[in-house]
Structure formats: structure tokens, C-alpha cells
Amino acid sequence: MTKTRDASDSPLTGEFGAGEIQVREWQSPPLATRVRKALSFRNMSALYLFVVLFVAFAIWVPSTFLTASTWRSLISDQAITCLVALGAVPALAAGVFELAIGSEVGLGAVLVAWLLADRHVPVPLAIALTVVAAVLVGVLNWVLIARARVPSFIATLGMSSVLTAVILWLSGGAQILNLPAGFERIANHQILGLQLPVYVMLAIAILVWYVLERTPAGRGVYAAGADPDAAALAGVRVSRVILCAAVACAVIGGVAGLLESSQLSTGDPTIGPGYLLPGIAAVFLGSTQFRGGRMNVWGTVVAAYVIATGVKGLQLAGAPTWIPDLFNGAALLVAVGIAAHQKSPVSRTAAVRRLLRSATRSVRSARRARRAEQLARVRGGVGDLAVAGGGKVAWTPPTFAARTLRRLSIRNIGALYLLAFIVVVFSLWVPATFLTSGTWRSLISDQAITCLAAVALVPVIASGVVDLAVGAEVGLGGILVAWLLADRHLTVPMAVGVTLLCAVAVGLVNWALIVRGRIPPFIATLGMSSVLVAVIAWVSGGTQILDLPAGFQKIGNHQILGLQLPVYILLVIAVITWYVVERTPAGRQLYATGANPAAARLAGIRTSRVILLATIACAVIAAVAGLLESAQLGTGDPTVGPGYLLPTIAAVFLGSTQFKNGRMNVWGTVVGAYVIATGVKGLQLAGAPTWSPELFDGVILIAVVALAQYQRRPSAWAARIRKLVKRDRAGQTPERAQPGFKATKGG
């Protein structure tokens, strides 16, 4: 329908001229268009994937896949996984990447079992206390993210390590048995052939859906997740939104954990981490359903059962035990890749024409000249800085005392002061074992591999890519070189060369997922970590690989001046990495890409190439650490890799607070790694519990990142006081002066 009116009646007549203005009312698309959009692959790809899986397994294993008992068990068994995914929906919708959801499930499972079996608390009170503990965990996550301003994936990663330590402390590292029969009946009671967790999941799904889709609070959640600054300007209290989302995630995770303990009739301290990847994969795959890229409840439920159907079918078909890890990792990567994919606004014909126009010799020459000019500006700088009044800015060097105080400040070398404090504490606590030369030689040698894995993260994090697959990359390097030596009987140089080539391939795949697939780095590397864990299990068969050649073992155990060879390999790689990062144009481009990729591209830096080289360097150095680990142990152990993730990330972020004022750097990372290793070693010598390293690593990671954020954030109170003092002295607000510079007259 079209309405017309005379333009002279409009206040815009002078601008547009006389005549008629056509005002079109919005018309709903025809029914055929709406149906076609609703049934499109982009809107319900998970349902089409479910149909494909159903048909494939119905043909492959019809005798077991098409039975009613199989589907009843599938729906009941996966209700808790679906519940975990529902808990992650509000957090991810609010922009909080929740890596602690698995540990929150484990805490709920162990805490309720501990209260019931060890403290003999009544079932209702035990459930209530577990929910209260989950609320406290959510509040603590909110404090770290909203108040301490720690990035959400770092805060929840550190909190995951802390919760793992709490779980081990409560359970003693063993299963908690003898739970009351009344508690066991909660999850095992059946209604219409389905267990009670299915109905709990549906009730929570309806509640979360209603809050997110039908209330102003839900609109605030989506607004905060899309753009926190714009949401704050629109009146949304972003801090309160993050608080509610974090608490909801922790509470739903705790409920899932206590239902798991009720279903298993035991409190198992190992069940939590296994829920992380399937839950996140379900949320991101669900975001491609029904809402066009937005996190939503029913898309998550559908996606969770689609992934569960694939895993169940593979298990019924007799697939190996590592298939679920591979399937979950691949599902996460495919889901996020589909969500990140957007149709190009340029038609194919227009793109071809633009390509032909830009391929002429004159255009290519102008592009090369412009890039060369921009790179020259980046590398060499530009002329003098001018100020108002015709003056120039003259730099005044700080005094020797000021430079010395700055170098010795806690902000610059706080890790060294922390190391001195740790040494003094354990020297007084356990002097008989801590102050021996053998302890320090073993500490330096044993931690060289951890430090090497941390150095691997420096270039990739400096480029803006947080590699959560570094632990799996270490494990892949260690198990692959052992497999090539023991099972394929390759020579040591050839096995090392093949291992490093595979590491290059891993770095290339990471780059393709991040740059070409446009998947967020922590999602891409998290999914890649699961895929690499499956590859490690496939190569090793889930067992250690023995009988490595003696010549290979000498690489990890040969000593020079009382220190093992990996220490010197660490020093060589650290020096090379430091030189490239700090003393070459490539290093400056690396930091520029990490600081602001868009600005770096405008300055002529090929950010895609920078990220490619950084991911390859990370994977190769991590593989070197893994093969040195196998040489040191004399065996290929498929379980050693994941344990490197948290200590290395903590070392890198602790190192970023040293020497370079918040910038990732090699020598700060080396110092940070050995500070953490010294604290863990002292606790072990003092007879601390086995869970103390996880607690120490998590606390250190959270503390150092919070400290780094605090250093970058000026104090509001101090700024107000300085402003007030200056106003009182001059009678007005003084002009701002740039520290270290003064304006001089003349040219």
C-alpha cells in the first residue's frame, strides 16, 4: 500500500524541493517467502543434520539404533548434558565465556555427596547448601569479570582450576559412596518411561526461555552481550546483567551436578570437565537455529540432542573410545563456523568486476607504493610533533633516580619480589630440603619444558590469539615422536622432523579456523584441543608407548654443568623468540596486530600473515616441548599434555606484568614460569595436599591478570584529588601537559 502527500506540507521542502514524497508502508513478505526462510538450511541446519545422522545410523546399525530402549536411554542420559548447555546460554548471551561450567558441575556433584555421606545432612538441606554454594561461585565469577575486569575466559579458566582443587579437597581424590536411597531416587525415578532429569531440564528450559525472550531482563542480556558500551548508554546495567548471568550459569551447573550424583549413586570428582565441550558446542550449534546467530534455548536443546545422537550412533557402531572427543571438537568448530559465516553483500558478478579492475598494473603499483609508505611510517616514525602556538615538543629525559625507581618498582619487577618472598617463606618452612642444590637443579631442569611451552604462547598471545590448544599440542608432539620411533622405527632426526612438520600443519589449521573461518580464537583452539586429544588417543591407543631409543632419551636427560639439556634448548629458543619479537619489524607488526588488528591493517600490516606465523611458531615450540618431555620420561604418555595449559597461561600473563608494562614478553614469561614452579615445588616439599598445585595455579592466574588490569586502569579517586589540588592552586582547571614533554618556543 502506498500513501502520497504534497511536499510543500513538509518542513523538508527546502531541502528536497517541491513535488511528491512517496511513503511506503511495510508489507509482510508472502507466505511462500516466510516458509522458505523458516525451512532454510541457515535457520534449522541442526534438524537437517539430525535427519542425516538418523538415516545413516538407521542403515548402519538398525538392530540397536532403532529400538525404543535406545531412544529412552538417549533422552534420559543426555538430559544432564543438555542442562549444562542451558546453563551456558545466559552467560554466553551476556558476553561471558564460561570455561568453568564443567568444574561447577563437578563441584555440585561432589559437594552434595560430601554433605550427604560425610556430614549426614538431610537431603533437602544438602541440596539447598549446594545451590547456595553455586550462587557464591557465580558471585565470585562476577567480581572477577565486572569488578576486577579480568577477561571472562581467563577468569573462568582460573576459577575452573580453583574449583578443581576444592573438588579434590572435598573428595580426597576418590569417589564418595553410600549416598542415601532417597537421594538416589531423585534422578532415577521414571515418569512415562523417562527419568526425572528430563522433566527438570524441560522446566529450566522453559524458565530460561521465558526470561530471555519475553522479559526486559532478557533484552538486557542480549544487549550487553552484543555491545556492552552501547547497552550501558541505553540504560542497561551491564554489571547487574553479568551478575545474574554468572549466578544462573553456576546454579544450573550445580543442579546438573547433583542430578548426576543422584543418577550415578556416587560423588565422582572426575565427571565435571567432560561436560565443558559438549555444552559449549551445543550452545553455538544452537545459535544457528531459529534466531539467526543469537544464543537461544530451544536451538540449544535441539543441538545438544543432535550431538548426542551422533555420539550414541558411533558408540553403537563400535567406534573407538576417542570418537566422542573428535566428534565434539568437530561439532564445535563446524557450529561456530556456520554461525560466523555471513553471506557476502557483494554479488558474484560485482566481485569479479572489482577483481579485474584491481588486477591492472597501475593499481598494483599504487597499492605496493602505498603499503611501502605505510610500513616506512610504522618502522621509522614521522617528523616532529607540533603543538598549538607554533612550538615543538621537546623530550625531557627522566633523571637517573627516576629511571632507577621505575625499574625497581613493584609494577616492573613484581614477579622477582614475589619470587624472593616465596624463597624466604619456604627457606624458613622447610630449610632442610628447599635450600639444597639438588632441589634447585631439579627445579630448573624439570620446569624447562613448562617454561618452553609458555614461551610458545608469547608470540601468539601478543598477536591477539589466545591458544587454548597449547597443552594438546605439547601432548601431540610427545606422543607422535614416540609413535614414530617405537612403532614406525624411524631414525631420531627423521622422527623429530616429521613431528615438527605435523606441528606446522596444526598451526596452519588453527590459522585457517581463526582467519578464514572467522571463529573466535579461544573457541577455535578449544575445539582444536578436543580434536588433538582424539588424535593422541588414536595414535597411542590410550596407553603409554615404551621402548624409545637410548639416543633419543639422551636428548632429555643429558646434563651439562649439572643441568639437563632441555634447559639450554629453552634458552636458545627464548633468545631467538626475544630477538624476533623485540628487535625486528616482524615483532612490531606482531604487537600492532594484537593491539588493534583494524588499525594494523590500515597501516599496511598483513595481519593474516602475522597470525599465521604466530600460530605456526606456537605449535612448533609446543611440539618441541612435547618431544623433550617424551625424551625426559623415556616414554610417550598420552595424558601429559592438558596439564600444561593452566601453568603456561598463568606464566605468560604473570610475565606480561614484568619489564614491559603489560605487554607480553619472553623474559617476563620465563621469570613468571619459574616463580610459579618455585611456589609449587615449595608446597610439595612442605607436604601440601595433592590439590595444592591446581589451587596455586588458578589463584596466580587470576591475581596476575587482575593486577595487570589494575595497572592499566587509573585510580578515579587519585585523579579527582589531583584535579582538585590543581584547581585550588591556579583558581581554574589547568591545561593538560604530556608527561615527559615540554613545549618550547620557536622552531
Side-chain angles (χ1 to χ4, degrees):
M1 181 178 180
T2 303
K3 292 182 179 180
T4 61
R5 60 187 176 93
D6 190 78
S8 59
D9 298 334
S10 171
L12 299 177
T13 302
E15 182 178 352
F16 291 97
E20 290 187 348
I21 298 178
Q22 299 290 329
V23 181
R24 294 185 177 274
E25 292 184 352
W26 179 82
Q27 295 179 348
S28 61
L31 178 62
T33 303
R34 295 199 305 270
V35 171
R36 187 167 56 250
K37 182 179 179 180
L39 297 178
S40 66
F41 180 80
R42 293 175 61 86
N43 191 56
M44 46 189 301
S45 58
L47 292 177
Y48 291 124
L49 177 59
F50 174 77
V51 172
V52 171
L53 292 174
F54 183 87
V55 172
F57 291 117
I59 297 174
W60 192 358
V61 281
S63 60
T64 54
F65 186 75
L66 294 178
T67 62
S69 60
T70 296
W71 286 94
R72 281 198 300 268
S73 66
L74 173 65
I75 295 173
S76 297
D77 295 343
Q78 294 302 317
I80 295 177
T81 302
C82 189
L83 194 58
V84 174
L86 289 174
V89 169
L92 289 170
V96 176
F97 192 76
E98 177 62 274
L99 288 177
I101 183 70
S103 297
E104 291 163 359
V105 173
L107 179 65
V110 169
L111 181 58
V112 72
W114 178 75
L115 290 171
L116 292 170
D118 292 356
R119 292 294 177 260
H120 305 290
V121 176
V123 173
L125 182 57
I127 294 175
L129 291 176
T130 302
V131 172
V132 169
V135 171
L136 294 178
V137 171
V139 171
L140 189 54
N141 283 334
W142 166 76
V143 170
L144 295 174
I145 296 168
R147 297 306 182 192
R149 299 188 183 180
V150 179
S152 60
F153 62 93
I154 293 293
T156 54
L157 182 64
M159 180 58 66
S160 175
S161 183
V162 172
L163 294 180
T164 299
V166 174
I167 291 169
L168 293 175
W169 168 59
L170 290 174
S171 65
Q175 292 185 352
I176 301 176
L177 307 176
N178 301 322
L179 302 186
F183 178 71
E184 296 177 4
R185 284 196 295 268
I186 293 177
N188 294 297
H189 180 66
Q190 292 190 357
I191 301 175
L192 301 177
L194 299 177
Q195 292 180 345
L196 190 61
V198 176
Y199 301 97
V200 175
M201 181 270 294
L202 289 175
I204 292 179
I206 293 172
L207 178 61
V208 175
W209 166 80
Y210 181 80
V211 171
L212 289 180
E213 302 291 343
R214 292 293 185 269
T215 65
R219 291 191 288 272
V221 169
Y222 286 121
D227 192 331
D229 296 331
L233 292 174
V236 176
R237 296 186 177 181
V238 178
S239 177
R240 182 179 296 179
V241 167
I242 294 175
L243 172 61
C244 295
V247 170
C249 179
V251 168
I252 296 176
V255 170
L258 65 88
L259 288 175
E260 179 72 12
S261 288
S262 176
Q263 202 170 56
L264 297 176
S265 302
T266 180
D268 191 345
T270 65
I271 62 170
Y275 283 102
L276 174 62
L277 202 66
I280 292 180
V283 175
F284 279 98
L285 180 57
S287 69
T288 65
Q289 310 303 299
F290 315 138
R291 291 294 179 180
R294 195 175 72 179
M295 310 295 174
N296 65 93
V297 170
W298 301 119
T300 299
V301 173
V302 170
Y305 278 105
V306 168
I307 296 174
T309 302
V311 173
K312 186 72 171 180
L314 291 170
Q315 291 173 344
L316 293 175
T321 55
W322 47 265
I323 282 295
D325 290 324
L326 178 62
F327 190 86
N328 288 330
L332 176 61
L333 295 176
V334 171
V336 183
I338 292 174
H341 176 73
Q342 296 176 356
K343 187 177 180 180
S344 175
V346 182
S347 66
R348 184 175 300 177
T349 304
V352 172
R353 291 174 179 173
R354 187 174 61 183
L355 179 63
L356 293 176
R357 286 196 300 267
S358 64
T360 61
R361 181 175 300 177
S362 59
V363 171
R364 290 199 302 268
S365 300
R367 191 187 302 120
R368 284 195 297 267
R370 184 167 61 253
R371 185 179 292 114
E373 179 185 0
Q374 292 169 337
L375 284 175
R377 291 181 178 180
V378 173
R379 294 171 181 173
V382 292
D384 293 329
L385 298 174
V387 296
K392 290 185 178 179
V393 175
W395 181 68
T396 304
T399 63
F400 176 77
R403 294 198 304 270
T404 303
L405 289 176
R406 180 181 178 183
R407 290 171 181 171
L408 297 178
S409 66
I410 191 171
R411 288 191 172 189
N412 193 51
I413 57 172
L416 294 178
Y417 292 124
L418 178 59
L419 177 62
F421 174 75
I422 291 173
V423 169
V424 170
V425 168
F426 290 113
S427 297
L428 298 175
W429 192 355
V430 282
T433 53
F434 187 76
L435 294 178
T436 61
S437 59
T439 296
W440 285 94
R441 280 198 301 267
S442 66
L443 173 65
I444 295 173
S445 298
D446 295 343
Q447 294 302 316
I449 296 175
T450 302
C451 190
L452 189 59
V455 170
L457 282 174
V458 172
V460 74
I461 294 183
S463 68
V465 175
V466 179
D467 193 346
L468 297 180
V470 65
E473 291 163 0
V474 172
L476 180 66
I479 206 67
L480 186 59
V481 72
W483 178 73
L484 292 171
L485 290 170
D487 292 355
R488 295 294 175 240
H489 306 290
L490 297 184
T491 62
V492 173
M494 187 176 293
V496 171
V498 172
T499 300
L500 296 183
L501 286 177
C502 291
V504 172
V506 170
L508 184 62
V509 172
N510 283 336
W511 167 80
L513 293 172
I514 295 167
V515 176
R516 300 306 182 196
R518 291 179 286 184
I519 300 175
F522 45 87
I523 293 288
T525 54
L526 182 63
M528 194 64 184
S529 174
S530 183
V531 173
L532 293 180
V533 168
V535 173
I536 291 170
W538 168 60
V539 170
S540 65
T543 59
Q544 293 185 349
I545 299 177
L546 308 175
D547 301 326
L548 301 186
F552 177 70
Q553 296 185 34
K554 288 181 180 178
I555 297 176
N557 297 293
H558 181 66
Q559 292 191 357
I560 301 174
L561 300 178
L563 298 176
Q564 292 179 346
L565 191 59
V567 177
Y568 301 97
I569 296 175
L570 162 67
L571 290 176
V572 171
I573 293 178
V575 169
I576 294 173
T577 306
W578 165 80
Y579 181 79
V580 172
V581 170
E582 300 289 344
R583 292 292 184 269
T584 65
R588 290 190 286 274
Q589 295 177 19
L590 192 75
Y591 285 123
T593 301
N596 193 325
R601 281 193 296 270
L602 293 175
I605 297 174
R606 296 182 178 180
T607 56
S608 175
R609 182 180 298 177
V610 170
I611 295 175
L612 171 63
L613 296 176
T615 54
I616 290 177
C618 177
V620 169
I621 298 175
V624 172
L627 65 89
L628 289 176
E629 177 75 10
S630 290
Q632 207 170 55
L633 296 175
T635 180
D637 190 343
T639 64
V640 298
Y644 282 99
L645 176 61
L646 200 68
T648 54
I649 290 182
V652 173
F653 280 96
L654 176 58
S656 70
T657 65
Q658 308 302 300
F659 313 137
K660 293 295 182 179
N661 192 26
R663 197 173 71 180
M664 307 297 168
N665 64 93
V666 173
W667 301 120
T669 298
V670 173
V671 171
Y674 276 106
V675 167
I676 297 173
T678 303
V680 172
K681 187 72 172 180
L683 290 171
Q684 291 173 344
L685 293 175
T690 56
W691 47 263
S692 57
E694 283 81 5
L695 179 63
F696 189 82
D697 290 341
V699 171
I700 284 291
L701 176 60
I702 293 171
V704 298
V705 179
L707 177 63
Q709 295 297 326
Y710 171 76
Q711 290 176 356
R712 299 190 188 105
R713 185 173 70 250
S715 172
W717 283 101
R720 291 174 185 173
I721 292 173
R722 286 195 297 268
K723 187 175 180 180
L724 180 62
V725 170
K726 290 180 181 179
R727 182 181 292 132
D728 290 342
R729 286 179 180 176
Q732 58 182 355
T733 303
E735 297 181 357
R736 294 183 178 179
Q738 191 173 3
F741 291 85
K742 63 180 181 180
T744 58
K745 295 182 179 180

